[in-house]
Amino acid sequence: MRASWTGTKPPSCRGQEEKPSKNQLPEYDPKCYLCPQNFRASGDRNPDYKKTFIFINDYSAVKEDQAAYSTETSPDDLASTLLRAEPTTGRCHVLTFSAKHHLTLADMTREEILPIIQVWTQAYAAHLRPDGPLAATASACLANLPSLSPENTMTPPKTQLRHMQIFENKGAAMGCSNPHPHCQIWTTSSMPEEPAAEMVQLARYRAEHGGRHLLADYVQLEVEKGERVVFQNDGFLVVCPWWAVWPFEVLVIPKRHVRALVDLTDEERLQFAEAIQEVTRRYDNVFETSFPYSSGIHQAPLDATEEEAENSYIHMHFYPPLLRSATVRKFLVGYELMAEPQRDITPEQAAVRLRNCGGELYRNLLP
């Protein structure tokens, strides 16, 4: 992880000033395939849900049942030596955050975000290895969570899967084609590259530092310095990380070692909801617009060994593209694409901007 900075832009390059944008979306859209009681592409009709609704994606990137894939290998064949591919199976879910089409996480209270985290937790628990190191914790956790409503039932996978990626793409700038508040949950038999690389570094740090956790030490460092802290409560820290690539990138980290969602207490789930709400509201307030981003949770593998589970430390990334206004984006091109990313503003500067954007959501104050 590396931090670099090319310096601030001169005033002439800061982009035009934008007027605050209002939310023009209706509370219900009869053409939206995520709104209650509407039909989806599959022909299935959504239930009249009131909070969350989870279902198998009609356009799943991976499926549990799909054609087998294999390649012939030969030590004398360059193609089999250099060009390798492995099959991946899994399940792709969509989870709506609310029945209301016009809301975003920034509009919701922590109490309204809490049911989302509860469903994330239940989805993770449903896919865990039954005899794995997190199974007993998951069972105790589920006993304390509200039962899923009938439309939110989830069945265990047909075969044990490896990784669950919970992520949200918000805004057209991040490729989101439907503004109805929702996220996706992809569960796969393989481990994707970014969380795999993080696992390697978390394991290495713990081995080289007497069992200490990298992110636990990082939380301590950032709390002591305070320069990059955006928000914190008793359970979570929101920080613009030292190694950030995107201008207003943030990391949400629990203050104690938490391996996965099932480790969180009832109070910590509410604190996590508050941290997410603080991030998304401050994003919208920075440029007084509905701020686009991609966010995602990294946590222990579903089939983790004892060692992998202990090395894991749950955290949530937010990668937003906006740079100097509601319409000026950062692009990873040229030197950044061919060599390494450069900072347009420092993490410390970004943290100050976000800290100062607390308070009421800007559009609630518009006439």
Side-chain angles (χ1 to χ4, degrees):
M1 295 176 179
R2 181 177 301 160
S4 56
W5 177 44
T6 58
T8 56
K9 304 291 184 182
S12 61
C13 298
R14 287 177 185 163
Q16 64 186 33
E17 291 295 321
E18 311 295 332
K19 292 183 178 180
S21 63
K22 296 183 179 181
N23 190 339
Q24 304 294 337
L25 296 174
E27 184 172 320
Y28 167 76
D29 183 349
K31 297 181 180 180
C32 171
Y33 60 84
L34 294 179
C35 280
Q37 301 191 72
N38 287 357
F39 288 96
R40 302 199 309 276
S42 63
D44 293 336
R45 189 174 188 176
N46 298 331
D48 188 17
Y49 68 93
K50 303 304 180 185
K51 295 182 180 178
T52 59
F53 171 48
I54 189 168
F55 61 93
I56 295 291
N57 196 325
D58 297 325
Y59 299 101
S60 293
V62 292
K63 299 180 179 180
E64 288 189 276
D65 299 313
Q66 57 190 36
Y69 176 86
S70 62
T71 57
E72 296 182 2
T73 59
S74 169
D76 300 322
D77 180 23
L78 284 178
S80 63
T81 300
L82 299 176
L83 311 178
R84 298 185 180 183
E86 295 180 356
T88 295
T89 59
R91 299 205 283 190
C92 297
H93 288 87
V94 175
L95 171 65
T96 62
F97 294 158
S98 170
K100 297 181 179 180
H101 183 77
H102 67 305
L103 294 185
T104 69
L105 290 175
D107 298 290
M108 300 169 69
T109 66
R110 65 174 191 168
E111 287 77 16
E112 291 171 326
I113 295 173
L114 179 60
I116 301 167
I117 297 174
Q118 291 172 338
V119 177
W120 287 346
T121 304
Q122 288 159 324
Y124 180 84
H127 290 79
L128 271 176
R129 196 179 91 204
D131 60 347
L134 289 162
T137 301
S139 179
C141 171
L142 291 177
N144 291 325
L145 291 179
S147 299
L148 285 171
S149 54
E151 64 265 19
N152 282 332
T153 55
M154 285 174 287
T155 57
K158 296 178 181 179
T159 58
Q160 181 57 57
L161 299 172
R162 172 73 168 152
H163 176 76
M164 175 173 285
Q165 186 57 64
I166 300 168
F167 66 96
E168 179 194 5
N169 294 324
K170 181 196 172 193
M174 303 309 290
C176 183
S177 59
N178 190 327
H180 193 108
H182 71 284
C183 72
Q184 298 188 55
I185 304 174
W186 290 17
T187 313
T188 56
S189 58
S190 59
M191 175 63 70
E193 292 180 3
E194 183 166 338
E198 288 182 351
M199 285 182 61
V200 169
Q201 297 305 320
L202 291 170
R204 179 179 297 171
Y205 187 92
R206 185 164 169 254
E208 293 176 354
H209 294 84
R212 299 205 315 270
H213 290 276
L214 186 155
L215 287 179
D217 283 358
Y218 185 63
V219 166
Q220 179 181 338
L221 180 150
E222 291 290 13
V223 170
E224 289 175 354
K225 286 187 172 295
E227 299 169 318
R228 290 170 290 275
V229 174
V230 174
F231 170 82
Q232 61 179 309
N233 54 28
D234 289 342
F236 283 82
L237 177 73
V238 177
V239 63
C240 292
W242 171 259
W243 57 85
V245 171
W246 299 99
F248 293 97
E249 179 178 334
V250 302
L251 189 65
V252 181
I253 328 171
K255 289 185 174 180
R256 72 175 181 93
H257 177 218
V258 175
R259 301 167 297 177
L261 285 163
V262 293
D263 279 342
L264 295 173
T265 65
D266 289 343
E267 181 61 27
E268 285 172 333
R269 276 187 286 275
L270 191 59
Q271 291 165 348
F272 190 19
E274 182 181 36
I276 292 171
Q277 206 282 332
E278 287 286 342
V279 171
T280 54
R281 188 179 74 251
R282 289 166 191 266
Y283 273 173
D284 281 16
N285 284 349
V286 170
F287 298 128
E288 296 185 325
T289 192
S290 187
F291 204 97
Y293 60 78
S294 282
S295 66
I297 296 173
H298 290 162
Q299 56 188 322
L302 297 166
D303 64 346
T305 63
E306 291 279 358
E307 186 70 12
E308 286 178 331
E310 186 57 31
N311 289 338
S312 298
Y313 201 115
I314 190 173
H315 55 282
M316 186 172 189
H317 296 278
F318 281 83
Y319 298 146
L322 295 187
L323 176 56
R324 294 186 300 279
S325 79
T327 59
V328 178
R329 296 178 56 188
K330 176 183 176 69
F331 292 94
L332 291 176
V333 296
Y335 185 88
E336 295 186 278
L337 190 62
M338 300 298 170
E340 66 177 7
Q342 302 294 295
R343 288 291 306 191
D344 295 273
I345 60 174
T346 67
E348 294 80 8
Q349 291 170 328
V352 170
R353 293 284 300 276
L354 291 173
R355 279 200 302 270
N356 292 339
C357 286
E360 183 71 18
L361 183 63
Y362 80 92
R363 56 181 164 268
N364 292 340
L365 305 175
L366 294 177

